[in-house]
């Protein structure tokens, strides 16, 4: 991790002074890097975005900002979430050609597919239900547009799929 960037981030976010070298945490996807930093104030995770991400694109920046705003709103709606640390309404820090998101450190690990149990699936389904129940209003989203269909048109569509799938089955 760029040491000058680390100093700037720590100063801007009042994270304290790093007292160890940043530790690269394996497992990040998409070419990004996760760094654990330890300071005299605590531990933090810094996500250094992939150099492949176009940080000159306002659309790309807005997507990262929106994602963190939603996560922040989840936190205040009793949804367990970790949001990037905000400074003056922004979550994404751009330094030179690099983008960073800074989070409080959370201990944990990702379960592999053989470790996921029915209990885990139940927890996830409850979280999804709670997310839907909070009726989150995000002004950046346009109201969804729904096509309305009559019962007859739905029955016709289903019948067509059934006939088509039966003919495909016969070909096999």
């Amino acid at each position: 991790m760029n040491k000058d960037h680390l100093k700037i981030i720590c100063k801007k976010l009042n994270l304290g002074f790093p007292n160890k070298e940043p530790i690269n945490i394996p497992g990040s996807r998409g070419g990004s890097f996760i760094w654990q930093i330890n300071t005299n104030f605590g531990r933090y995770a810094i996500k250094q975005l992939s150099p492949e991400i176009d940080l000159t694109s306002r659309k790309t920046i807005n997507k990262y900002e929106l994602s963190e705003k939603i996560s922040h709103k989840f936190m205040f709606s009793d949804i367990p979430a970790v949001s990037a640390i905000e400074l003056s309404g922004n979550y994404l820090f751009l330094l030179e050609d690099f983008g960073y998101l800074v989070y409080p450190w959370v201990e944990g690990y990702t379960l592999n597919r053989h470790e996921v149990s029915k209990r885990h699936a139940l927890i996830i389904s409850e979280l999804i239900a709670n997310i839907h129940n909070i009726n989150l209003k995000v002004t950046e989203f346009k109201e969804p547009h729904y096509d309305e269909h009559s019962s007859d048109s739905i029955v016709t569509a289903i019948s067509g799929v059934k006939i088509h799938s039966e003919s495909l089955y016969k070909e096999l």
Side-chain angles (χ1 to χ4, degrees):
M1 176 168 196
N2 183 309
K3 292 185 191 258
D4 292 333
H5 291 181
L6 179 59
K7 287 178 189 175
I8 293 167
I9 291 168
C10 286
K11 184 174 181 176
K12 283 188 173 197
L13 292 176
N14 196 28
L15 302 179
F17 300 101
N19 51 26
K20 292 181 180 178
E21 287 293 315
I23 301 167
N24 186 286
I25 306 300
S28 186
R29 293 184 173 162
S32 297
F33 298 94
I34 302 292
W35 300 93
Q36 180 191 72
I37 63 161
N38 296 285
T39 74
N40 56 318
F41 290 173
R43 285 194 295 174
Y44 303 92
I46 298 179
K47 182 174 186 174
Q48 178 183 333
L49 299 181
S50 168
E52 301 297 316
I53 296 171
D54 181 8
L55 295 174
T56 62
S57 164
R58 191 74 227 159
K59 186 176 179 181
T60 299
I61 291 169
N62 289 344
K63 284 182 180 182
Y64 278 97
E65 290 291 341
L66 181 58
S67 174
E68 294 305 324
K69 284 178 189 175
I70 291 170
S71 179
H72 191 77
K73 288 182 179 192
F74 283 171
M75 289 172 41
F76 290 99
S77 298
D78 295 326
I79 304 294
V82 179
S83 177
I85 299 171
E86 174 190 7
L87 179 65
S88 303
N90 294 308
Y91 298 92
L92 180 61
F93 293 89
L94 300 174
L95 299 171
E96 297 173 8
D97 293 331
F98 295 90
Y100 299 96
L101 295 160
V102 182
Y103 301 88
W105 182 260
V106 176
E107 275 305 323
Y109 71 97
T110 304
L111 298 175
N112 72 45
R113 66 186 178 111
H114 300 293
E115 294 175 295
V116 178
S117 67
K118 288 181 183 179
R119 185 179 136 270
H120 293 113
L122 179 61
I123 291 168
I124 292 167
S125 63
E126 287 175 354
L127 284 172
I128 292 170
N130 290 339
I131 288 169
H132 287 282
N133 285 335
I134 63 174
N135 197 21
L136 186 66
K137 299 291 182 203
V138 180
T139 57
E140 292 86 350
F141 286 146
K142 296 177 184 173
E143 283 295 318
H145 171 76
Y146 299 99
D147 292 331
E148 293 185 22
H149 300 278
S150 69
S151 295
D152 290 340
S153 69
I154 292 171
V155 169
T156 301
I158 291 171
S159 297
V161 169
K162 184 177 176 187
I163 292 168
H164 182 71
S165 63
E166 287 173 355
S167 65
L168 287 175
Y169 182 73
K170 287 177 185 176
E171 290 176 17
L172 297 175

